[in-house]
Amino acid sequence: MNQVETAANRDWMVSEVVAVAGVRHVVVLSTDGLLMASSEGTDRDVADRLSAACSGLQSLAKGLGREFGSDSQEVRQQMVEFDGGFLFMRAAGSGSYLAVVTGPVVDPKMIAQQMQTQVNKIGERNLSSLPRRGSAHE
């Protein structure tokens, strides 16, 4: 099964997060930025760009964690506010992240709660992404 087929088959995993008021896009991405699933109505190019950008943010956050946190480099969650909305991101399994883009008027607590519920409901096993052979993440 190729990556495109995998992403299409996993899109159901994010459907409940999309139901929260103000949510515009939801993606599940691998550590190296590959799209694993996206919300219905999110264009594939948008989902791919969001996945790549979130992978970069995770890398920056790990560097910050290494410098100012513990040596584990584990990043549990992030929130970015920008003109017109927010980005929420959290670990969703070994080697994967759940990212949500919202409009400017949202309840951050509700978004975070639904993201946690979705990760728990789906299970870490379904959201995990093994490192690709020859990748820097092995």
Side-chain angles (χ1 to χ4, degrees):
M1 184 179 318
N2 68 35
Q3 190 66 28
V4 173
E5 290 171 337
T6 301
N9 291 337
R10 292 182 176 179
D11 290 353
W12 63 269
M13 293 181 174
V14 299
S15 61
E16 291 182 28
V17 178
V18 176
V20 178
V23 170
R24 295 180 4 206
H25 306 289
V26 181
V27 297
V28 177
L29 62 133
S30 65
T31 302
D32 54 0
L34 295 176
L35 178 65
M36 296 172 63
S38 64
S39 53
E40 186 176 335
T42 297
D43 181 73
R44 176 64 190 231
D45 288 338
V46 170
D48 283 336
R49 286 193 310 273
L50 178 58
S51 294
C54 287
S55 177
L57 283 173
Q58 279 301 116
S59 181
L60 289 170
K62 283 183 180 182
L64 286 168
R66 186 173 41 249
E67 181 70 24
F68 302 107
S70 70
D71 288 335
S72 76
Q73 300 180 27
E74 183 178 341
V75 178
R76 291 180 195 86
Q77 57 188 358
Q78 295 181 51
M79 184 179 94
V80 177
E81 181 178 9
F82 49 85
D83 272 349
F86 295 89
L87 167 70
F88 298 87
M89 193 167 28
R90 62 157 290 118
S94 178
S96 65
Y97 302 96
L98 175 63
V100 177
V101 175
T102 71
V105 181
V106 295
D107 178 354
K109 183 178 177 181
M110 178 62 81
I111 300 291
Q113 180 180 8
Q114 187 58 48
M115 290 174 74
Q116 178 66 42
T117 300
Q118 194 70 40
V119 168
N120 289 342
K121 182 176 180 181
I122 295 168
E124 204 173 295
R125 189 180 70 185
N126 287 320
L127 289 173
S128 294
S129 174
L130 297 175
R132 292 184 292 162
R133 287 200 163 125
S135 78
H137 301 287
E138 288 186 307

